[in-house]
Amino acid sequence: MTQKNIIEFLIRAKKATYASSSNETSSSRPNSHDLQYTEGSLKYIDSYLGGDKFAGEEALWENDVPFWAMNYVGRVIGDGFSGDFLKEALSLVPEEKPYRGLTEYSNGDFTYKCKVDGDFDWFIGNEEIFLSGNKIYELYFHGGLVDLVEV
């Protein structure tokens, strides 16, 4: 499977889970929110804890072998946050940076910004949402390829 195929799968999975409020599965940990999407031998799971302050992980498996993961932690820091706007921004995840959303996206008084350093194999970044110029949300993320170590 090529990296392009994997990224295309990751984008479809993101759009089919949190961004569309779909594919929630049973909680894998106490009070976690778990979202899962599969196509053939590929599996995507997004598992997070919390609400306005949250942390989580997205990961990819092929034939139940993990090979990529991204951790994130975020929080709402101002009034007027819109989960719908965040989902709208995340549904526009670009192929060249398949981690969160576009570099910048605006709708009405909301503006979403995302910065990333690195590439699919190893990266770090952050996203912010502004309402009428005031920052009301922030998230930090990092991740990349992982390998399976037999214990």
Side-chain angles (χ1 to χ4, degrees):
M1 176 140 324
T2 68
Q3 183 168 310
K4 181 176 176 22
N5 295 129
I6 292 166
I7 289 171
E8 289 171 350
F9 167 77
L10 177 61
I11 290 171
R12 286 191 302 275
K14 286 173 174 281
K15 289 179 179 182
T17 54
Y18 183 79
S20 67
S21 301
S22 299
N23 290 307
E24 188 149 358
T25 63
S26 299
S27 179
S28 62
R29 299 168 291 168
N31 295 304
S32 69
H33 302 275
D34 291 23
L35 306 152
Q36 184 172 319
Y37 180 81
T38 51
E39 284 181 10
S41 64
L42 293 175
K43 182 184 298 181
Y44 164 90
I45 298 175
D46 179 4
S47 180
Y48 66 96
L49 307 169
D52 285 350
K53 296 176 186 171
F54 58 93
E57 177 183 67
E58 296 178 28
L60 295 175
W61 287 259
E62 185 171 23
N63 295 316
D64 290 330
V65 175
F67 66 90
W68 183 89
M70 179 181 76
N71 298 105
Y72 57 87
V73 61
R75 63 186 181 157
V76 175
I77 57 173
D79 294 333
F81 174 77
S82 169
D84 289 339
F85 174 73
L86 174 60
K87 290 176 181 182
E88 181 180 319
L90 296 180
S91 72
L92 302 172
V93 59
E95 190 172 313
E96 63 277 5
K97 292 184 180 177
Y99 318 106
R100 297 293 292 173
L102 296 169
T103 301
E104 188 165 331
Y105 172 72
S106 294
N107 187 351
D109 293 332
F110 289 98
T111 299
Y112 170 93
K113 294 182 179 182
C114 184
K115 297 176 190 169
V116 181
D117 290 320
D119 58 26
F120 190 73
D121 296 353
W122 187 259
F123 60 89
I124 186 168
N126 73 292
E127 71 182 13
E128 301 169 315
I129 293 177
F130 297 83
L131 176 58
S132 301
N134 298 310
K135 186 163 82 165
I136 60 168
Y137 164 89
E138 60 188 2
L139 177 135
Y140 296 90
F141 59 91
H142 63 269
L145 297 176
V146 299
D147 57 6
L148 186 62
V149 177
E150 297 295 328
V151 182

